[in-house]
Amino acid sequence: MRVGTLVLLCALVAVAWSKPVWKEKNRGYKNYRLVRLSPTTQDQIDFLKRLENTVQLGIDFWTPSDHPGTHNIDIAVPPKTYRTFIRLIEANKITYKVIQEDIQSLIDTETTSNNKAREDKIKSKACESQGNSNWKGKGKNKCKNGQDAVATFSNLATDSIVGTYARHGEINAWLDAVAAESNGLATVETIGQTYEGKDMKVLKIGEDGTKPAIWVDAGIHAREWIAPATLVYIIDKFLSEYNSLPELNKYTWYMLPVANPDGYEYSHTSDRLWRKTRSPQSWGCRGVDPNRNWDSHFGEAGTSTFPCSDIYPGTGPFSEKCTQNIRDFINEHKDRLKMYLSFHSYSELWLTPWGWGTEKPSDNAEMMRVANLGKTAVQGINGKSWTVGAPPDILYAASGGSYDWAKEKAGIKYAYTLELRPDGNASNGFVIPTSEILPSGKEVYAAVKKVASELI
Ligand SMILES: [Zn+2]
């Protein structure tokens, strides 16, 4: 038995008395630390892979473990098990650094920024509706005509969600509203309901049935809030620019801003860092990783058979309602679909197939050409330098992913996963203020336009 394993076993006995951390409801993250590890040997990686399934520690891998030396591994650690965790890391001689002392303070900062962004939107809207006046601007409670800009959080107008972290119901209402006001340019199709009965609404932009098509989804991982917010921004731009830009109007676009509504809502109401779906599983745990739930090398690399794990792929391919609904819609339209894009966060990566292993598709050179054009377009907006490549080469292997299925099984040539802001060196990961939404939207919109103009 290796020293690392022995220390791990002893540590688990020591923490076994405490109730499992993963079952807490309405959980907060006070004094949870974010620890960045830099493993350099395969032994250290193997140890971290075992640790990933050790739920008693209550730790949360924000970036899963894989190759030594290729990327940082960020792990959220509860205060209760922090000392045990550090003992294990030190026993395995893994270099580490605490990059956040209190994850709850990150969440609080994000909440404040979102409340402020919503309040500003509401004040601006209130001034518009009160005698066509304009709001005086940030920090002001008056409209330019002197009237009060009354703001309450309960009345975020359906056309005012751009630049905020909106709830799923607000996003659905907004999709209905923008479609109704689009003079026939856009329509909403409900592609099915989730396990909890929430409507999954796709916005179709452009005429349906004849043109080649492009699919874009976001938020299949619940806690990656920047992804749906970025797609909402892009939809808003599409509605005003679709008719005038040939790279947009030569396609019909299908946009699904929240691909995992049950998980997304839960991340708003109960656990900001929830990742999975919300369907009941064995061991009293809930949820499946919906981006390990697709029928492409299901249950292989980057998954766990333990139902409480964040990378549990489910009992079989498409066990989840949300992935079934997307699969069925894509299968129905696959003959016209030229590109599949899925927005995640974080690390600033343009991921090419395959996610499950180092083998490459036969058209890899073309996949890389278009991906690199996307990267260049992103860089042209705010100077962000994304990394392009297949997950096993630059991040970590992950099987059963949606974009692998889109290319392998649905035959969609250009299938990519985009990991949005922040970059891999940031110390806030999934929890970023609303001030990042517009810059993210602008750079990803530029990239989407560029790649759409280059498909062959
Ligand atoms: Zn993700």
Side-chain angles (χ1 to χ4, degrees), residues 104-164:
Q104 186 59 45
S105 70
L106 274 185
I107 295 173
D108 293 344
T109 301
E110 182 190 66
T111 303
T112 304
S113 77
N114 197 33
N115 287 342
K116 190 86 190 71
R118 292 167 67 93
E119 190 180 316
D120 288 354
K121 290 277 182 183
I122 293 163
K123 285 179 183 170
S124 173
K125 194 70 198 167
C127 290
E128 263 178 50
S129 59
Q130 291 163 11
N132 291 324
S133 183
N134 289 324
W135 176 45
K136 277 191 163 180
K138 281 196 185 315
K140 302 287 194 307
N141 291 316
K142 294 279 185 190
C143 310
K144 284 186 174 166
N145 67 0
Q147 283 186 302
D148 289 337
V150 181
T152 63
F153 291 129
S154 59
N155 67 346
L156 187 64
T158 51
D159 57 351
S160 299
I161 66 167
V162 181
T164 71

Side-chain angles (χ1 to χ4, degrees), residues 92-108:
N92 284 274
K93 299 188 168 47
I94 300 172
T95 308
Y96 71 93
K97 185 166 78 175
V98 177
I99 57 170
Q100 273 296 336
E101 291 287 348
D102 180 19
I103 291 174
Q104 186 59 45
S105 70
L106 274 185
I107 295 173
D108 293 344

Side-chain angles (χ1 to χ4, degrees), residues 205-218:
I205 303 175
E207 67 191 59
D208 199 12
T210 52
K211 292 181 180 182
I214 292 175
W215 167 278
V216 190
D217 66 51

Side-chain angles (χ1 to χ4, degrees), residues 219-224 227 275 289 291-292 342-346 396 417-419 430:
I220 197 166
H221 284 144
R223 63 191 176 185
E224 298 166 5
R275 167 181 166 96
D289 182 340
N291 205 36
R292 303 287 186 277
S342 190
F343 294 174
H344 289 246
S345 73
Y346 57 97
Y396 48 84
T417 292
L418 275 56
E419 297 280 354
F430 306 111

